[in-house]
Amino acid sequence: MSLPRAARRGLAEESADRIRDAIFDGTFPPGTPLREVDLARDLDVSRGSVREGLALLEREGLVHSAWHRGTTVIDVTPRDVEEVYTVRAALDRLAALTALTTASPDDLAALDDIVTAMAADIDRGGPHLLALDIAFHDAVYAASGNSRLVQAWQAVRSQVCLFQLRRIAAAPEDYLARLVAEHRELAALIRGEEPELLARTAEEHVHSARRALLAHLAGENH
């Protein structure tokens, strides 16, 4: 197994990008040990750059380092899912409610454009559509105009991507069946005048994903 060489030699951010991509595409599944010496060789960068890159990924919650045990990709456990999706539900609710009062016409048009792209690309499969899914939520947070809220989203964003990929792999039909309709509803509510309905819908959008993933994990353990 080898990884594409980093385009900018010695850059920690570039190393983090390559390793993150490998985690998301399944090259490094949950629980995989990540050895600095191997990564440095494959990426053609220094071990120091890899070490710094892994530190960035640890701050994103994608990897875990332990003394004398090295660094591993995080596992997807029911507790992890509960914690991340509970936090995300609260953040998404706040972002949507804030965007309801702050979103510009350009912000609203951007949400509509992403939903249109989802509908057009629905046959390309879940992993491709996840990029549009995350882009939609990025746009909602951007429309909120709250930089601290955006930073809070960024703190869990990578974990959400990893968990959603696991959910898609487990139940792709369920994901695709919900994708366009749920995001179209959110986009419509953000330009509407029903904050309570928007809050409930934003939270349920997250909790439906949480329930689907937890059901899959429970099935694996039986």
Side-chain angles (χ1 to χ4, degrees):
M1 186 280 299
S2 63
L3 300 176
R5 290 191 174 186
R8 293 171 291 182
R9 185 178 177 87
L11 200 60
E13 291 82 358
E14 186 73 18
S15 297
D17 288 346
R18 295 290 183 266
I19 299 167
R20 186 189 302 107
D21 288 345
I23 292 171
F24 288 162
D25 70 18
T27 301
F28 297 142
T32 300
L34 300 173
R35 298 183 65 239
E36 285 181 13
V37 62
D38 294 337
L39 293 170
R41 182 196 63 236
D42 291 339
L43 294 169
D44 193 25
V45 298
S46 68
R47 289 185 64 178
S49 293
V50 169
R51 189 177 304 115
E52 292 176 30
L54 290 174
L56 292 173
L57 296 179
E58 185 163 23
R59 287 197 288 274
E60 294 178 15
L62 280 183
V63 305
H64 174 70
S65 297
W67 187 252
H68 292 314
R69 294 186 180 180
T71 302
T72 58
V73 181
I74 63 166
D75 284 319
V76 181
T77 69
R79 178 175 178 178
D80 294 328
V81 172
E82 289 283 5
E83 290 183 356
V84 169
Y85 280 87
T86 298
V87 170
R88 185 194 170 189
L91 293 175
D92 275 19
R93 179 183 188 277
L94 180 56
L97 287 174
T98 307
L100 180 65
T101 60
T102 61
S104 69
D106 286 346
D107 292 329
L108 297 174
L111 295 177
D112 291 340
D113 288 345
I114 295 170
V115 174
T116 298
M118 287 177 178
D121 288 359
I122 198 68
D123 292 333
R124 296 187 63 180
H128 169 77
L129 289 165
L130 179 59
L132 292 173
D133 186 340
I134 296 298
F136 180 93
H137 293 285
D138 287 342
V140 173
Y141 281 88
S144 77
N146 185 325
S147 61
R148 268 68 175 185
L149 187 54
V150 172
Q151 290 171 3
W153 162 239
Q154 290 294 329
V156 297
R157 185 180 184 275
S158 289
Q159 294 174 76
V160 168
C161 287
L162 181 62
F163 291 2
Q164 285 290 80
L165 284 168
R166 184 69 174 272
R167 174 202 173 193
I168 291 166
E173 296 83 5
D174 177 72
Y175 177 74
L176 294 176
R178 295 171 177 267
L179 181 73
V180 176
E182 289 190 1
H183 288 91
R184 181 175 287 136
E185 182 180 18
L186 285 169
L189 288 170
I190 288 172
R191 58 163 37 88
E193 297 179 356
E194 299 180 90
E196 292 184 1
L197 178 59
L198 172 59
R200 291 196 302 272
T201 302
E203 289 185 330
E204 176 55 25
H205 176 66
V206 176
H207 288 312
S208 65
R210 175 183 58 81
R211 290 192 297 268
L213 182 51
L214 287 174
H216 169 67
L217 294 177
E220 285 187 335
N221 293 327
H222 287 87

